[in-house]
């Protein structure tokens, strides 16, 4: 009877189903049918928590489409660390459009709350993210041992020679 609760419940069900069992736990036909609705909710729902939940659900079970790509590109290019994390997670699964995605990921390396998500996603791009090497080297040489390890791991996939310059990741 409460449309807000219904939307929230349906979106969280899709997210949790995909998160717990992977995208294959939601049949392809259902994923194809819900993707436009999730896109609509991610862009237009009046409640920010439902918009964010819809983005999370798109990341887990949404099909790859130009609209989803645009939503996730907007997320990764956002100043909001939560949105960046969702966008980065989606692009880790769907490393497309390196020319558009890698620059905001490089910018995300500046922010302590997003640098690990961005480094992990840059790794998924491999050599296509070659222009992130200098910034990843800076993170790898930084004081945050966890972020440093992730930056080195990303460098190993992007430019193994650059990864050797900073050594092995700290334990």
């Amino acid at each position: 009877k409460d449309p807000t609760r219904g939307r929230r419940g349906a979106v969280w069900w899709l997210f949790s189903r995909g998160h717990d069992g992977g995208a294959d736990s939601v049949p392809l036909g259902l994923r194809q049918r819900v993707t436009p609705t999730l896109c609509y909710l991610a862009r237009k729902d009046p409640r920010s928590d439902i918009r964010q939940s819809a983005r999370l659900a798109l990341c887990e079970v949404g099909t790859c489409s130009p609209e989803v790509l645009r939503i996730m590109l907007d997320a990764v290019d956002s100043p909001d660390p939560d949105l960046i994390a969702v966008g980065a997670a989606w692009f880790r699964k769907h490393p497309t459009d390196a020319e558009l995605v890698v620059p905001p990921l490089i910018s995300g390396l500046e922010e302590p709350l997003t640098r690990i998500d961005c480094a992990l996603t840059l790794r998924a791009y491999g050599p296509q993210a070659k222009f992130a090497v200098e910034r990843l080297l800076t993170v790898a040489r930084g004081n945050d041992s966890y972020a440093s390890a992730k930056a080195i791991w990303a460098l190993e996939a992007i430019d193994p020679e650059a990864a050797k310059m900073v050594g092995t990741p700290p334990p």
Side-chain angles (χ1 to χ4, degrees), residues 6-58:
R7 287 192 316 275
R8 184 184 308 119
V11 168
W12 274 109
W13 180 85
L14 286 165
F15 166 75
S16 63
R17 181 88 184 253
H19 186 71
D20 293 342
D24 292 338
S25 65
V26 178
L28 179 59
L30 177 57
R31 291 175 36 224
Q32 290 170 332
R33 287 192 308 272
V34 300
T35 295
T37 301
L38 289 171
C39 288
Y40 176 82
L41 292 173
R43 289 210 181 273
K44 306 266 185 188
D45 199 273
R47 294 184 51 116
S48 64
D49 62 325
I50 293 177
R51 288 192 308 273
Q52 181 67 348
S53 299
R55 287 184 199 98
L56 288 167
L58 278 170

Side-chain angles (χ1 to χ4, degrees), residues 56-73:
L56 288 167
L58 278 170
C59 187
E60 294 297 331
V61 301
T63 57
C64 194
S65 72
E67 188 175 8
V68 175
L69 176 68
R70 183 79 245 156
I71 288 168
M72 294 306 173
L73 187 57

Side-chain angles (χ1 to χ4, degrees), residues 78-165:
S78 162
D80 181 339
D82 291 333
L83 290 178
I84 293 169
V86 172
W90 191 82
F91 283 111
R92 242 185 330 276
K93 294 176 183 179
H94 309 281
T96 60
D97 297 307
E99 307 80 30
L100 294 174
V101 179
V102 171
L105 292 172
I106 293 171
S107 295
L109 292 171
E110 301 291 331
E111 171 62 45
L113 294 174
T114 60
R115 72 173 43 123
I116 292 169
D117 289 315
C118 291
L120 293 172
T121 303
L122 286 166
R123 177 180 170 77
Y125 281 88
Q128 293 180 74
K130 192 103 169 157
F131 52 106
V133 168
E134 288 304 316
R135 185 63 193 118
L136 283 166
L137 285 169
T138 302
V139 174
R141 293 178 179 130
N143 294 331
D144 181 340
S145 62
Y146 189 66
S148 176
K150 297 307 177 192
I152 293 169
W153 193 57
L155 284 166
E156 289 171 351
I158 297 167
D159 183 346
E161 291 303 313
K164 290 177 188 174
M165 292 171 46

